[in-house]
Amino acid sequence: MEASAPVTGLILTGGGARAAYQVGVLRALVEIRRHCLAPAGNPFPVIAGTSAGAINAAALAGDADDFERGVDKLVQIWEGFHADQVYRADSIGVIRTGARWLTMMSIGWVIARWRRLKPRSLLDNSPLAGLLERVVRLERIPELIRDGHLKALAVSASSYSSGEHVTFYNAACEATGWVRSQRRAVRDHIGLPHLLASSAIPFVFPAKQLMIDGEPEWFGDGSMRQAAPISPAIHLGAERILVIGAGRMHEPPGKRQVSADYPTMAQIAGHALSNIFLDALAVDVERLQRINRTLELLPAEAREKSALRPIEVLLIAPSQRLDDIAARHLDALPLTIRALLRGLGVSGQGSDARGAALASYLLFEADFTRELMALGEQDTLARRDEVARFFGWVPHRTSAPPAEPAAAALASGSIDPVAPETVHYFAGALAGSAAGP
């Protein structure tokens, strides 16, 4: 990246297995950059992630000296994913966690021993810890920051102990922490426990203990109580930001077919998780747009005196409902997990599926993740000119543009040729008050 170029930040949001979409977007960015003959180096000096997005963010940060290598590693992992790489899907593992948890929720309170044996989560994600130890090079991050390949990495988690939303960050020495209402930032060396805490989907995966000011606190998924998901990148010096979502920002026009049946536990849980993982980003985008409009109304002299500064933001989010895609792949889940989810009300297949939203967060299976990656590529390559302008890359017109990797999926009909949902705008960011980022 040229020294005069603005500092570019990357925001990767949460969403369990839905984070495969982010990897498709990143793979398309590599192709666009190659086509534009853009300079080598890390295009994202500031990287921030939440939940599964925190894992993708940390993986990229650990290879900040070779961005394409980092993306290739993520592609290899997500293309070949199986649920047992993330959580125990064997019968014994499910009985020890999920079956106990469901029993306790029903009749366990009348059995004395359940009062002593308190299940901590629906699933046991111990396999994820082993996977992260093998593939995420967290030990390299301080060195990469020192050598200038990376400016900052931020990972967010939510404290069950204090109720605060905490952003843990490792950054260059000039970066300082911030405090806002019910949220704060803490400088720390990002480690495996931070990633497990940030990605601990409530009820589904167990909380993790982290130290805050020398005191232990229990943390869960960083998407909970995340009022301003774009904020960490701004505080850490980003001047323009690419945000990759994991769900549609708006529903398409027209009436959707809905069921008149009473919602199952799975449907209610899926609705609650969508609120946790998706709604905060939409609200933050709207907030930035309002600030942008306010800035436009100010005279130039007033803008110069203001603490507000313009932040260019490119938002890329799925052009299709990931719930609907998940509904086509429910049978890819391990038999034990299907049985467990059936007890919560996940049933059917395709257009007849119920509870697919909940299942979409747990569908760490290659059939599902590959389709999401293809959709991410399609959505990004369809906006290649806008992406190139955002980064200041100039397309190399003497060669053909990169081929659409999703073409095969489009031809098969598994992905509809719907225009990708992106938002590109300038926004102001106020770093000095509680109303700011």
Side-chain angles (χ1 to χ4, degrees), residues 218-296:
W218 290 99
F219 283 84
D221 201 292
S223 295
M224 295 185 292
R225 308 201 71 176
Q226 187 175 40
I230 303 176
S231 168
I234 298 174
H235 281 288
L236 293 170
E239 298 167 302
R240 63 186 180 193
I241 302 172
L242 172 65
V243 182
I244 308 178
R248 289 186 65 93
M249 298 294 291
H250 304 284
E251 288 300 315
K255 186 177 181 180
R256 280 184 55 82
Q257 183 179 359
V258 296
S259 172
D261 296 336
Y262 190 83
T264 65
M265 286 290 293
Q267 288 175 295
I268 295 172
H271 187 72
L273 289 178
S274 295
N275 173 268
I276 292 171
F277 286 109
L278 307 179
D279 292 355
L281 179 60
V283 171
D284 209 19
V285 167
E286 291 174 358
R287 180 188 300 116
L288 287 173
Q289 289 174 318
R290 287 195 301 271
I291 296 174
N292 177 58
R293 289 193 292 268
T294 301
L295 279 174
E296 291 176 349

Side-chain angles (χ1 to χ4, degrees), residues 311-354:
I311 300 291
E312 186 180 8
V313 175
L314 175 62
L315 168 65
I316 302 179
S319 59
Q320 299 183 34
R321 285 175 55 88
L322 302 192
D323 299 1
D324 294 343
I325 298 177
R328 299 197 292 267
H329 297 285
L330 293 179
D331 59 355
L333 283 165
L335 181 61
T336 52
I337 303 302
R338 276 183 279 159
L340 183 65
L341 293 179
R342 194 177 302 120
L344 294 172
V346 177
S347 62
Q349 189 79 9
S351 59
D352 297 326
R354 301 186 71 190

Side-chain angles (χ1 to χ4, degrees), residues 28-333:
L29 288 179
V30 169
E31 292 300 320
I32 295 171
R33 189 169 78 156
R34 287 175 180 169
H35 172 62
C36 293
L37 302 180
N42 178 21
F44 302 110
V46 176
I47 304 177
T50 303
S51 191
I55 293 174
N56 285 341
L60 286 177
D63 282 305
D65 56 339
D66 192 336
F67 175 69
E68 293 190 13
R69 179 181 65 197
V71 173
D72 286 343
K73 286 183 178 179
L74 285 173
V75 168
Q76 292 174 14
I77 293 168
W78 284 93
E79 276 188 334
F81 242 140
H82 293 291
D84 57 11
Q85 293 175 277
V86 179
Y87 50 81
R88 290 192 60 177
D90 59 288
S91 299
I92 295 176
V94 171
I95 290 173
R96 285 179 175 176
T97 54
R100 284 183 176 181
W101 194 81
L102 290 178
T103 302
M104 188 184 71
M105 292 290 289
S106 55
I107 63 171
W109 63 275
V110 301
I111 305 176
R113 70 186 185 95
W114 288 101
R115 296 175 182 172
R116 297 190 299 272
L117 301 176
K118 298 178 180 179
R120 295 190 170 191
S121 61
L122 186 65
L123 297 172
D124 174 6
N125 65 343
S126 56
L128 177 61
L131 175 66
L132 296 181
E133 285 181 332
R134 293 192 300 273
V135 302
V136 181
R137 307 174 75 183
L138 293 169
E139 73 284 352
R140 300 189 70 228
I141 291 174
E143 176 187 352
L144 293 169
I145 292 176
R146 187 171 57 251
D147 292 345
H149 297 292
L150 184 69
K151 183 178 176 67
L153 169 66
V155 169
S156 297
S158 184
S159 173
Y160 292 119
S161 302
S162 69
E164 285 188 316
H165 185 269
V166 181
T167 297
F168 299 91
Y169 69 95
N170 196 349
C173 58
E174 66 268 19
T176 57
W178 60 94
V179 177
R180 296 292 183 269
S181 177
Q182 295 299 313
R183 54 190 173 100
R184 61 187 294 202
V186 176
R187 182 187 290 271
D188 204 349
H189 289 290
I190 306 299
L192 178 61
H194 295 88
L195 302 185
L196 293 174
S198 182
S199 59
I201 299 174
F203 301 110
V204 178
F205 296 140
K208 295 297 292 184
Q209 196 174 65
L210 301 174
M211 300 298 291
I212 298 288
D213 298 329
E215 297 293 332
E217 294 186 19
W218 290 99
F219 283 84
D221 201 292
S223 295
M224 295 185 292
R225 308 201 71 176
Q226 187 175 40
I230 303 176
S231 168
I234 298 174
H235 281 288
L236 293 170
E239 298 167 302
R240 63 186 180 193
I241 302 172
L242 172 65
V243 182
I244 308 178
R248 289 186 65 93
M249 298 294 291
H250 304 284
E251 288 300 315
K255 186 177 181 180
R256 280 184 55 82
Q257 183 179 359
V258 296
S259 172
D261 296 336
Y262 190 83
T264 65
M265 286 290 293
Q267 288 175 295
I268 295 172
H271 187 72
L273 289 178
S274 295
N275 173 268
I276 292 171
F277 286 109
L278 307 179
D279 292 355
L281 179 60
V283 171
D284 209 19
V285 167
E286 291 174 358
R287 180 188 300 116
L288 287 173
Q289 289 174 318
R290 287 195 301 271
I291 296 174
N292 177 58
R293 289 193 292 268
T294 301
L295 279 174
E296 291 176 349
L297 296 174
L298 294 176
E301 183 179 351
R303 286 198 299 269
E304 290 177 0
K305 295 179 180 179
S306 172
L308 293 164
R309 60 188 176 93
I311 300 291
E312 186 180 8
V313 175
L314 175 62
L315 168 65
I316 302 179
S319 59
Q320 299 183 34
R321 285 175 55 88
L322 302 192
D323 299 1
D324 294 343
I325 298 177
R328 299 197 292 267
H329 297 285
L330 293 179
D331 59 355
L333 283 165

Side-chain angles (χ1 to χ4, degrees), residues 7-25:
V7 176
T8 306
L10 175 65
I11 296 287
L12 299 177
T13 60
R18 292 167 172 249
Y21 177 86
Q22 300 169 355
V23 181
V25 173

